[in-house]
Amino acid sequence: MISDALVARLCDRVAASTSDTFSTVNVFTGGTLAKVPRSSPEDVAEAVEAARKAQQVWAGVAVADRIPVFERFHALLLKHTEEILDILQAETGKSRKDGFLEVSAPLVTVGHYARKAPKLLAPQRRQGMLPGLVKTRELRVPKGVVGTITPWNYPFALAFMDIIPALIAGNGVVLKPDTQTALCTLFGVDLLYQAGLPQGLLQVVIGDGPVVGTALVDTADYIGFTGSTRTGREIAARAGQRLVGYSLELGGKNPLLVLADANVHQAAVGAVQTCFSNSGQLCMSPERLFVHTAVYDDFVQRFLNEVKRMNLAAAYDYSADMGSLTSQRQLETVIKHVEDARAKGATVLTGGKARPELGPFFYEPTVLTDVTPEMLCYDNETFGPVVSIYRVADDTEAVERANATSYGLNASVFSKSIAHGEHVAAQLKAGTVHINDGHVVGLGSADAPMGGMKDSGVGRRNGAEGLLKYTESQNISVQRVPLTTPPRWLPFGWYVKSMQGLLRLIRRSNIR
Ligand code: NDP
């Protein structure tokens, strides 16, 4: 399905000077999928320099003239969706349904910034210090070379949702994807070049995070990172040493609230869709369900019915509802969390076991109750198909327990009353809150920024912020007549009095 010729062509895009390789795994079978090149720290330095050279030309291209490259990329993504899905599924083990949603996300990003970027990046007239006498403009200058580091769970979406605004803003990019999922990312990079991206502007390096990722953090002019909170802290510390900017999209332990007035069927269906997307290996997936006591029994029954109907399969078509976990490491974490909970008294309502007959890393969607604070899955991110349900007496308890976590990425609220849902949403400490949905509509609303509060991140993707973070603002102010240096003949005390008079006049006229 993925030919050797294709792998060789994609691997040619990697900045790697030696013949060292990594083997990646075909997740559905456990066999070897491909050998991908290994970059060294020296390769990273060269990639950054090459991107910098190309960026100096790209920065001189008008924003409106950069956009057509991304419009053509959009068309190529639509044309090659099935090939991307084949690689994505082999590398991650996700169902094709989940893969389709993933590949669609960058389409939204392109559509949004193609429309909005020219205006957002255009020089803005600002009020000068003194009306008429000072002219001030704010320019948006690209950072230079952006280092983008991405994880394995949504490798295609997370890479291109971040790369596209960085490039549109006039930057070069050096991308370090997770090694296991490098091929699907390289396929997208290849499409960007087919779409007319200037050669050298987007570089790819592959290697262990602590080696190649660190080299990138130590050389790029800005870091865009998606991954674990632990690595995010390390990157922030290193970037802080160099005083370069960064944005961090990190982990979550997301709550889903079913209020007393929820449409219980809609909540059960919506919860299944969001909790088990990509086998729960989605930073926005809920792992904690807080259900109002008035609808608790009804919700649990319907939720379990929906979970039990899910079709698990290693299928390269749209028949499976859920695919595999991506790695042995992830499978071990899930088993550890479930066994720990079981041993400490949790009740497994459904699931709770691996399914090796389907593939080496399959695990059943699992629903727990009676989960208590001493259990690992209570407040640690499992990042797998495991959710815990808690009964709550009222909204106040639901909100308090939802917020009782160090994370603050995403939350969901189900209620028939939009006003009620919005009232509760405003009390939740999460960067995104979905009402009557799990995670899709906020992600797809690219006009609004999204990201994490608390330990879930710094900075935002999407919205104006998701583009402008890749720029420096520059204030250019023109003194039209000499104001700051009084004429020699004027005693300085008189100058002070006249300036104070002017400031008083401006204040009274409410211009400032
Ligand atoms: P990691 O932090 O382990 O790795 C993410 C990326 O960072 C990988 O490319 C990795 O390389 C690299 N890396 C690892 N160590 C370093 C380092 N010291 N310096 C620079 N780069 C490094 O995360 P996971 O792969 O485990 O990804 C899962 C996590 O990501 C979960 O916590 C999840 O919640 C979070 N996530 C957050 C999202 C969001 O938008 N908020 C979206 C998706 C996931 P290598 O390939 O060598 O591991």
Side-chain angles (χ1 to χ4, degrees), residues 58 62-77 106-107 109-111 113-114 117 160 163-171 173 191-193 195-198 201-202:
W58 180 241
V63 179
D65 296 332
R66 295 177 199 153
I67 301 292
V69 172
F70 303 94
E71 302 274 23
R72 289 192 290 273
F73 176 63
H74 188 279
L76 286 169
L77 279 185
L107 295 171
T109 308
V110 172
Y113 287 121
F160 292 97
I163 286 172
I164 289 163
L167 291 169
I168 289 180
N171 297 284
V173 172
L191 292 184
L192 262 172
Y193 278 115
L197 193 75
L201 191 64
L202 171 56

Side-chain angles (χ1 to χ4, degrees), residues 181-209:
T181 51
L183 278 187
C184 69
T185 318
L186 285 164
F187 195 95
V189 169
D190 194 59
L191 292 184
L192 262 172
Y193 278 115
Q194 285 181 40
L197 193 75
Q199 286 304 320
L201 191 64
L202 171 56
Q203 302 274 333
V204 181
V205 291
I206 296 178
D208 291 330

Side-chain angles (χ1 to χ4, degrees), residues 149-153 158 176-179 207-210 213-214 217 225-231 234-235 249-252 283 329 381 383 409 456 461:
I149 301 176
T150 50
W152 46 266
N153 62 330
L158 296 171
K176 192 210 98 54
D178 186 275
T179 305
D208 291 330
T214 298
V217 173
F225 172 77
T226 308
S228 64
T229 298
R230 180 183 43 78
T231 309
E234 287 177 30
I235 287 177
E249 300 285 341
L250 309 175
C283 53
R329 187 185 80 167
E381 186 184 38
F383 218 51
L409 189 61
S456 290
R461 59 166 59 100

Side-chain angles (χ1 to χ4, degrees), residues 55 92-93 108 139 173 204 235 268 300 381 416 508:
Q55 187 271 334
T92 64
V108 176
L139 304 192
V173 172
V204 181
I235 287 177
V300 171
E381 186 184 38
K416 275 188 255 180
R508 280 200 190 132

Side-chain angles (χ1 to χ4, degrees), residues 186-378:
L186 285 164
F187 195 95
V189 169
D190 194 59
L191 292 184
L192 262 172
Y193 278 115
Q194 285 181 40
L197 193 75
Q199 286 304 320
L201 191 64
L202 171 56
Q203 302 274 333
V204 181
V205 291
I206 296 178
D208 291 330
V211 180
V212 163
T214 298
L216 185 54
V217 173
D218 286 347
T219 41
D221 303 318
Y222 182 87
I223 316 299
F225 172 77
T226 308
S228 64
T229 298
R230 180 183 43 78
T231 309
R233 287 188 205 282
E234 287 177 30
I235 287 177
R238 288 193 91 90
Q241 284 298 316
R242 294 183 53 231
L243 295 179
V244 297
Y246 55 85
S247 54
L248 307 172
E249 300 285 341
L250 309 175
K253 186 73 183 175
N254 307 301
L256 182 149
L257 280 59
V258 184
L259 306 185
D261 59 357
N263 175 328
V264 179
H265 173 72
Q266 186 190 14
V269 172
V272 167
Q273 192 257 336
T274 186
C275 292
F276 303 114
S277 277
N278 194 27
S279 306
Q281 302 164 117
L282 166 64
C283 53
M284 298 175 80
S285 278
E287 295 190 358
R288 302 178 298 144
L289 276 50
F290 298 101
V291 184
H292 193 284
T293 188
V295 290
Y296 184 90
D297 294 337
D298 190 14
F299 173 82
V300 171
Q301 197 51 56
R302 287 173 192 261
F303 183 60
L304 288 178
N305 289 345
E306 294 295 327
V307 174
K308 287 174 185 165
R309 283 171 51 179
M310 289 176 72
N311 178 29
L312 271 62
Y316 285 96
D317 58 29
Y318 293 101
S319 59
D321 298 309
M322 195 177 104
S324 171
L325 290 164
T326 298
S327 64
Q328 180 65 27
R329 187 185 80 167
Q330 217 51 40
L331 177 65
E332 283 166 10
T333 304
V334 169
I335 292 173
K336 189 168 148 197
H337 279 205
V338 174
E339 293 315 312
D340 169 80
R342 216 194 293 257
K344 291 173 180 163
T347 306
V348 179
L349 294 182
T350 187
K353 58 180 191 297
R355 295 289 297 275
E357 76 282 12
L358 299 175
F361 315 128
F362 272 82
Y363 196 92
E364 290 182 339
T366 300
V367 181
L368 306 176
T369 55
D370 306 315
V371 170
T372 50
E374 63 276 13
M375 298 176 192
L376 284 172
C377 67
Y378 182 80

Side-chain angles (χ1 to χ4, degrees), residues 493-511:
W494 291 15
Y495 171 72
V496 169
K497 280 202 165 38
S498 60
M499 288 308 282
Q500 284 187 326
L502 188 60
L503 289 169
R504 197 172 296 119
L505 188 70
I506 291 171
R507 186 70 210 105
R508 280 200 190 132
S509 60
N510 212 20
I511 300 170

